[in-house]
Amino acid sequence: MLGYIMSYNIILWCKMLFLLRRYAVDKGIVKRAHDPSGTSVNIHCPCGLVKTTVLPDNSVTFISVPSFVAISGLDLRLSSGRQVKVDIVFGGTFYALLDSTQLGIHISEEPICQLTQLGEEIKNLVNSTQKLLHPESEDLCVCGGTLIHDGVGGTRDSANILVYGNQQVERSAGGSCVSARLAHQFSAGDIQKQEIKVCFNSKVPHSMLSGKVIDELELVLPDGRAVQAVRTAVTGRPFYIGENKYFMEEDDFISKNGGFLILQ
């Protein structure tokens, strides 16, 4: 059974990708297939159509949109005066990838407030100094967050933490973050197709997602440059922690006439 669901928030799709698919199958929005290979659920995200499979054990695998390295070795000077290099990689949104070993820190031990401040500063520096290009959508041409990782290469398990929004932190390793890490490593020759990489949130060691590069392709940017991209397959298992319900009563004049906005 093939289903389609619409999802619009650029960062939210990375956070909810896994659970949304399981929810669609559990709630019967998409009929569960009696097939050991799982149930197909496709979601239209801001970055394009993302194809996924909900497996019988409720784990979820998605095939990423084309992921690619946009800028390698970008030099940034932090407010502290320290100089760092970041790589700008698209994995569903643009991320600034920072190898934490440059700063001599261990992200599993570093206070979360210091990591969020660092991530926010890097994201803002990228957005204020760089013009990012995406082959299909101008709306995607913004750095959505900073992915700080431990620099562990190859197929060894690796920790990272995503800082996005207003110094918010992704609780998992992040599906699109894993795609970005894989694209970055593949571009550097540090990982090969079909080799499995496991990533986890540095503050939540059991938040593991596994991924692998499954295909290569070439993209053409708006300025005519060609870039090498990959598609990845990322697998994780989502769990429910709560549920919200919203209602509209028959005689609710405000809701029936478009609702209302709270201005800040």
Side-chain angles (χ1 to χ4, degrees):
M1 181 69 181
L2 188 64
Y4 291 87
I5 300 174
M6 299 300 292
S7 175
Y8 292 100
N9 185 290
I10 291 177
I11 291 296
L12 181 63
W13 87 265
C14 139
K15 294 168 62 62
M16 296 300 293
L17 209 53
F18 293 99
L19 186 55
L20 189 57
R21 287 152 170 77
R22 179 186 167 189
Y23 181 90
V25 173
D26 286 349
K27 298 299 182 180
I29 300 170
V30 177
K31 185 177 179 181
R32 186 182 292 273
H34 298 290
D35 186 331
S37 64
T39 304
S40 296
V41 183
N42 292 346
I43 295 187
H44 288 280
C45 297
C47 54
L49 180 65
V50 180
K51 298 181 178 181
T52 68
T53 302
V54 180
L55 302 173
D57 67 353
N58 286 326
S59 61
V60 176
T61 295
F62 75 83
I63 307 302
S64 75
V65 295
S67 303
F68 60 94
V69 177
I71 304 174
S72 295
L74 175 65
D75 287 312
L76 297 176
R77 181 176 293 278
L78 303 177
S79 57
S80 64
R82 294 288 298 272
Q83 194 88 8
V84 296
K85 287 184 180 292
V86 299
D87 300 291
I88 312 302
V89 186
F90 185 84
T93 189
F94 283 102
Y95 297 111
L97 270 60
L98 172 70
D99 182 344
S100 62
T101 61
Q102 294 181 66
L103 298 173
I105 62 176
H106 298 283
I107 55 176
S108 60
E109 302 171 1
E110 198 73 9
I112 194 72
C113 61
Q114 294 184 25
L115 293 175
T116 56
Q117 290 169 5
L118 174 63
E120 177 79 357
E121 181 176 6
I122 288 174
K123 181 195 72 174
N124 291 338
L125 279 171
V126 171
N127 283 326
S128 64
T129 62
Q130 303 300 310
K131 180 176 176 57
L132 302 179
L133 297 175
H134 186 272
E136 295 182 356
S137 174
E138 286 189 18
D139 291 339
L140 297 174
C141 297
V142 61
C143 180
T146 301
L147 185 59
I148 307 171
H149 62 88
D150 59 8
V152 174
T155 58
R156 292 174 295 163
D157 293 1
S158 179
N160 58 235
I161 190 165
L162 171 64
V163 181
Y164 71 99
N166 184 21
Q167 296 191 29
Q168 294 165 270
V169 173
E170 168 60 60
R171 291 179 298 176
S172 75
S176 59
C177 298
V178 176
S179 291
R181 295 268 327 255
L182 288 168
H184 180 247
Q185 285 190 245
F186 187 82
S187 174
D190 189 41
I191 199 168
Q192 305 301 315
K193 278 202 293 188
Q194 301 300 329
E195 289 186 337
I196 295 175
K197 176 80 173 182
V198 174
C199 296
F200 58 92
N201 184 309
S202 63
K203 301 297 183 182
V204 190
H206 295 288
S207 59
M208 293 184 175
L209 298 178
S210 63
K212 60 184 178 181
V213 173
I214 60 171
D215 195 17
E216 299 176 68
L217 63 158
E218 185 176 88
L219 304 176
V220 179
L221 299 179
D223 62 2
R225 288 183 295 125
V227 294
Q228 298 302 309
V230 299
R231 288 190 187 275
T232 68
V234 180
T235 300
R237 188 174 180 191
F239 296 91
Y240 295 115
I241 60 170
E243 183 178 17
N244 280 337
K245 289 187 177 181
Y246 298 90
F247 303 93
M248 185 177 73
E249 294 186 292
E250 286 280 335
D251 56 350
D252 184 345
F253 177 83
I254 293 177
S255 294
K256 291 174 70 174
N257 287 273
F260 59 90
L261 295 176
I262 298 177
L263 301 178
Q264 297 184 351

